[in-house]
């Protein structure tokens, strides 16, 4: 094993496993690691699954009444754009929920490009909404938890803000943590060639 300082001070030898037009795959000699370096950003975009239903038009009355109660505050806070930008559509799963189902994944999709910007996971039993950003790293799509309405029910290390507040919390956001900015956030895959080990 080696530590961070040795990596910075010593060069390492590598052997090329595969060299393609878009990717270089090398294996570090004496280590149990491979590195894949991509020459350009993947032009693919995450697309929503076919057959999705539109929110709020396709909500089934009675069974899915809990969805707007959890989704609407989050949608207004993060997914409402100004009038001159293309709106963000919220897409429900193809099949309607049953009374026993307590979770749903709602896709936030740009109406101009069709790109899936985020996924909002709603949990009826805990009255919580999680926002996951869709990342494209190494030609694969990953989800990153960036916001939750209740930090006690998240699966990442998101902590509530400790800044001084001039007003009371919104009822849905008493224990909110993280931040999602659909327009201002830089996608890590846009920083150049990404390497995955």
């Amino acid at each position: 094993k080696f530590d961070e300082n040795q990596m910075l001070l010593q060069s390492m030898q590598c052997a090329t496993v595969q060299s393609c037009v878009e990717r270089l795959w090398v294996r570090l000699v004496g280590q149990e690691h491979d590195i894949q370096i991509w020459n350009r950003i993947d032009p693919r975009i995450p697309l929503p699954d076919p057959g999705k239903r539109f929110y709020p038009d396709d909500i089934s009355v009675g069974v899915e009444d809990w969805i707007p109660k959890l989704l609407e505050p989050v949608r207004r806070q993060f997914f409402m754009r100004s009038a001159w930008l293309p709106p963000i559509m919220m897409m429900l799963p193809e099949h309607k929920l049953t009374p026993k189902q307590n979770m749903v994944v709602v896709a936030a999709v740009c109406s101009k490009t069709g790109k899936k910007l985020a996924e909002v996971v709603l949990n009826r039993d805990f009255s919580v909404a999680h926002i996951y950003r869709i990342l494209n790293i190494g030609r694969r799509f990953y989800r990153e938890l960036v916001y939750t309405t209740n930090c006690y029910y998240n699966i990442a290390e998101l902590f509530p803000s400790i800044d001084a507040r001039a007003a009371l919390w919104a009822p849905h956001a008493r224990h909110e943590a993280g931040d999602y900015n659909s327009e201002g956030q830089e996608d890590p895959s846009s920083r150049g060639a990404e390497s995955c080990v």
Side-chain angles (χ1 to χ4, degrees):
K1 293 189 175 184
F2 49 87
D3 63 9
E4 214 174 88
N5 296 330
Q6 288 177 328
M7 282 186 62
L8 295 174
L9 298 176
Q10 295 179 353
S11 63
M12 301 181 78
Q13 294 194 0
C14 62
T16 302
V17 176
Q18 188 177 40
S19 180
C20 301
V21 175
E22 306 267 337
R23 179 192 65 175
L24 175 64
W25 179 4
V26 296
R27 179 162 294 143
L28 300 179
V29 177
Q31 308 298 327
E32 296 179 2
H33 294 288
D34 287 1
I35 299 176
Q36 296 182 11
I37 302 169
W38 297 88
N39 296 333
R40 67 180 180 93
I41 298 170
D42 188 2
R44 296 177 305 147
I45 58 174
L47 298 174
D49 298 330
K52 291 273 192 177
R53 297 179 292 141
F54 290 98
Y55 171 85
D57 302 336
D58 296 331
I59 293 269
S60 64
V61 179
V63 178
E64 297 178 335
D65 288 341
W66 59 273
I67 293 176
K69 294 174 187 170
L70 295 176
L71 182 60
E72 203 53 35
V74 173
R75 186 183 73 84
R76 290 183 184 184
Q77 184 176 357
F78 298 112
F79 299 109
M80 294 289 286
R81 289 183 168 172
S82 58
W84 54 85
L85 291 173
I88 296 175
M89 300 180 299
M90 304 305 279
M91 308 291 284
L92 297 166
E94 178 181 2
H95 301 290
K96 296 186 178 187
L97 300 181
T98 63
K100 292 183 178 180
Q101 290 177 307
N102 64 349
M103 293 187 73
V104 66
V105 178
V106 181
V109 180
C110 177
S111 62
K112 182 178 180 182
T113 63
K115 178 180 180 181
K116 188 192 299 185
L117 302 173
E119 288 183 348
V120 182
V121 177
L122 305 174
N123 187 316
R124 178 182 59 190
D125 292 345
F126 295 111
S127 296
V128 65
H130 301 300
I131 298 178
Y132 291 86
R133 180 176 293 117
I134 309 298
L135 302 176
N136 180 355
I137 300 175
R139 303 300 197 258
R140 295 184 185 208
F141 296 116
Y142 295 93
R143 289 160 181 81
E144 174 189 23
L145 180 63
V146 291
Y147 175 81
T148 181
T149 56
N150 193 332
C151 64
Y152 295 112
Y153 301 117
N154 68 353
I155 57 173
E157 293 185 0
L158 296 178
F159 299 104
S161 173
I162 58 172
D163 296 339
R165 294 193 173 265
L168 293 175
W169 292 279
H172 76 279
R174 171 62 181 94
H175 300 287
E176 73 175 347
D179 186 27
Y180 176 82
N181 181 359
S182 60
E183 294 159 339
Q185 285 288 347
E186 179 190 1
D187 186 355
S189 64
S190 66
R191 295 183 193 138
E194 294 290 329
S195 56
C196 294
V197 179

